[in-house]
Amino acid sequence: MALQAATLLPSALSLHKEGKSNAALKETTLFGVSVSNHLKADFISSSKLSKDFRRRSSLGTIRAQTVSAPEISQAASEEKKTLRKGNVIITGASSGLGLAAAKAISETGKWHVIMACRNFLKAEKAAKSAGISKENYTVMHLDLASLESVRQFADAFRQSGRPLDVLVCNAAVYFPTAKEPTYTAEGFELSVGTNHLGHFLLSRLLLDDLKQSDYPQKHLIIVGSITGNTNTLAGNVPPKANLGDLRGLSSGLTGRDSSPMIDGGQFDGAKAYKDSKVCNMLTMQEFHRRFHEETGISFASLYPGCIAETGLFREHIPLFRLLFPPFQKYITKGYVSEEEAGKRLAQVISDPSLSKSGVYWSWNKNSSSFENRLSKEASDSEKARKLWEISEKLVGLA
Ligand code: LMG
Ligand code: NDP
Ligand code: PMR
């Protein structure tokens, strides 16, 4: 792999088509940037922002509670109507991007976060240590590697009586060093089973709830990634994503009498993850085509930047975990902190200027969002339709 990656580099440099993306590896910035400047910048970015946020959100609460004069009480109740807290479910909010987004969005004071997590205790602890106020979050159990658990979660959420305004499919697993596949409760290869099939069922089950929302922001967000997009340098680091003709998926990804890989090939953990991200981006677009006009729900995906220190890399070799962050910071310049990535996802959740449907959002070096282009495969509508139909069968919806 090291050799493959190294030999890829010279040709890969000219592959960059990300336009303004912060993910871009530019020849000019590769060797020309002073490392010390970057080190300074990194040290300056502190937790100041979270303190500012907290101050703002507590002010918001006080203002809402102190309105008492009769002439303004009607206005206040009008305001209350429009200002009810939004409810957002974030899967995998117990670490990394999901936790950072939960923190960022709850600190606005305008959202209640349902942290949908497989490890209840870990999620509670994570919320506490991130400083998310009790009244701004609820932890609910969800194990995406079990379709039964997904169904139970959807039922339990409905029984809670909360309206649903935004669903964020964020959780993921990545097994870069696994020699053999592992499986979900229903026997699907674990990365595609969790990252795609679990989320596919969850989104389908909760679509009606989203539809009924009267909130200004009404979104289904599915986190994608640059590594699933072969129109980028990062997407060309082998093994590359490729769903082929979906023959492995059609056979159920069981690895027994059929392949555990979507394209029907040999098991490769890194490829399975990248394939699952392509599924995430295709699914978002298929949702958009089928349901945007009818429901008014906005469907979006995003690449928040390379968050090189999250739990996603927990299964990677220690050397990778050591070198990957500086590599992304100083060489590719694609690095973002969990805090910054969390703010980006929070933007897609609540910023009206990012409410366009069917979009794959990315951010440039100045942290400005833009509508990015997906690779040929990740925007293939015929493949998206086929993926949808096969996935429906696998999760028991058809
Ligand atoms: C594989 O491991 C798994 O084995 C496989 O199962 C699969 O999971 C796959 O795609 C997933 O990954 C990957 C393994 C080897 O990765 C690593 O162990 C580390 C890779 C990360 C980065 C490489 C680090 C390079 C050195 C960085 C130092 C950083 C510090 C900079 C800042 C200094 C501050 C003081 O695979 C690799 O990918 C390794 C490839 C090694 C080549 C590295 C070159 C990258 C540099 C890019 C610049 C290029 C310029 C070259 C030209 C020089 C000419 C003068
Ligand atoms: P983390 O590992 O930090 O977070 C992943 C989360 O998913 C964890 O909370 C984890 O739970 C949860 N999870 C895993 N399996 C399940 C399951 N079966 N049921 C419920 N929850 C589960 O990684 P990141 O924050 O990096 O990843 C978040 C998203 O961002 C992913 O979709 C990833 O593909 C995407 N992404 C990440 C990038 C990066 O550079 N890190 C770049 C581009 C996209 P637990 O805490 O219990 O392990
Ligand atoms: Mg990649 C612009 C260059 C760029 C960016 C933005 C990423 C993001 N990566 C880039 C370039 C390179 N990477 C290059 C040149 C190499 C060869 C040295 C390289 C290697 C590499 C590895 C081994 N990169 C990786 C790995 C992983 O194991 C990660 C992965 O593919 O997980 C599926 C990864 C990533 N690089 C990224 C991002 C965002 C990842 C994390 C994967 C994801 O969340 O989708």
Side-chain angles (χ1 to χ4, degrees):
M1 170 65 208
L3 205 66
Q4 271 177 322
T7 49
L8 173 84
L9 279 169
S11 60
L13 285 172
S14 61
L15 258 166
H16 151 234
K17 287 187 198 157
E18 280 266 282
K20 300 169 279 179
S21 168
N22 62 337
L25 174 66
K26 288 216 174 121
E27 283 147 281
T28 48
T29 55
L30 196 58
F31 305 110
V33 171
S34 143
V35 169
S36 58
N37 280 346
H38 281 269
L39 281 174
K40 258 185 257 160
D42 280 334
F43 287 137
I44 292 164
S45 72
S46 68
S47 63
K48 177 183 175 300
L49 197 113
S50 64
K51 282 181 203 145
D52 290 347
F53 257 133
R54 219 169 295 144
R55 214 174 302 132
R56 245 182 288 154
S57 63
S58 60
L59 282 177
T61 316
I62 291 163
R63 200 181 49 201
Q65 286 169 349
T66 51
V67 177
S68 58
E71 65 273 21
I72 54 171
S73 67
Q74 197 186 339
S77 77
E78 284 296 311
E79 198 186 345
K80 227 179 188 176
K81 255 188 234 162
T82 51
L83 281 190
R84 85 161 161 84
K85 268 192 182 177
N87 292 297
V88 52
I89 295 177
I90 304 181
T91 68
S94 49
S95 73
L97 176 61
L99 179 62
K103 183 175 162 66
I105 201 75
S106 67
E107 282 172 348
T108 63
K110 295 176 182 160
W111 291 86
H112 187 86
V113 183
I114 294 93
M115 300 170 70
C117 298
R118 62 176 164 176
N119 184 335
F120 198 95
L121 207 61
K122 180 178 175 186
E124 269 296 343
K125 281 187 185 156
K128 276 209 186 80
S129 64
I132 306 177
S133 322
K134 255 204 209 136
E135 69 274 15
N136 289 340
Y137 77 91
T138 305
V139 176
M140 286 183 69
H141 183 260
L142 166 67
D143 182 355
L144 288 157
S146 155
L147 297 180
E148 189 49 43
S149 170
V150 173
R151 290 185 181 279
Q152 280 171 9
F153 172 84
D155 287 345
F157 177 77
R158 221 159 278 145
Q159 275 169 23
S160 76
R162 279 185 190 280
L164 177 61
D165 307 308
V166 178
L167 169 61
V168 181
C169 297
N170 161 77
V173 286
Y174 173 40
F175 304 109
T177 57
K179 299 273 175 284
E180 296 294 332
T182 44
Y183 297 94
T184 67
E186 286 79 15
F188 306 121
E189 185 282 315
L190 192 51
S191 359
V192 174
T194 305
N195 308 356
H196 167 59
L197 292 171
H199 278 136
F200 180 78
L201 178 61
L202 181 69
S203 312
R204 289 289 301 272
L205 294 177
L206 293 177
L207 190 70
D208 266 346
D209 302 67
L210 280 173
K211 210 165 153 178
Q212 284 158 25
S213 159
D214 60 349
Y215 208 66
Q217 279 81 33
K218 189 160 137 167
H219 301 316
L220 169 58
I221 300 164
I222 310 179
V223 179
S225 182
I226 193 170
T227 54
N229 280 295
T230 49
N231 57 337
T232 64
L233 168 56
N236 276 281
V237 174
K240 289 201 227 177
N242 179 8
L243 309 188
D245 61 4
L246 307 174
R247 67 178 63 183
L249 188 70
S250 298
S251 315
L253 297 179
T254 63
R256 288 188 306 271
D257 36 3
S258 67
S259 160
M261 300 296 290
I262 294 181
D263 65 357
Q266 288 283 313
F267 176 70
D268 182 325
K271 181 173 184 297
Y273 169 87
K274 293 174 190 177
D275 288 351
S276 77
K277 290 286 113 184
V278 176
C279 293
N280 288 153
M281 295 178 282
L282 287 173
T283 301
M284 174 281 283
Q285 294 162 88
E286 191 64 15
F287 263 113
H288 167 73
R289 282 188 283 269
R290 289 177 186 242
F291 296 107
H292 174 61
E293 263 189 41
E294 175 201 329
T295 64
I297 300 167
S298 143
F299 301 93
S301 186
L302 69 150
Y303 167 61
C306 185
I307 332 161
E309 285 135 347
T310 70
L312 193 69
F313 310 104
R314 69 187 97 182
E315 306 282 342
H316 226 310
I317 54 168
L319 182 65
F320 177 87
R321 279 185 272 129
L322 182 72
L323 294 179
F324 193 55
F327 173 63
Q328 294 293 344
K329 268 185 199 167
Y330 306 118
I331 298 178
T332 73
K333 309 279 163 54
Y335 175 89
V336 285
S337 65
E338 292 186 355
E339 188 182 4
E340 177 59 27
K343 284 195 281 175
R344 290 175 179 184
L345 176 50
Q347 237 181 309
V348 185
I349 294 171
S350 70
D351 186 336
S353 67
L354 276 74
S355 61
K356 185 172 168 189
S357 187
V359 173
Y360 167 62
W361 295 103
S362 295
W363 284 259
N364 64 22
K365 289 199 185 69
N366 306 319
S367 252
S368 314
S369 57
F370 68 96
E371 291 180 31
N372 206 346
R373 241 180 304 159
L374 292 156
S375 70
K376 190 160 176 275
E377 180 172 51
S379 50
D380 180 337
S381 56
E382 186 46 34
K383 213 170 252 197
R385 188 185 58 78
K386 210 169 152 193
L387 173 70
W388 180 279
E389 287 168 4
I390 300 168
S391 303
E392 269 187 332
K393 287 196 187 116
L394 294 180
V395 303
L397 289 172

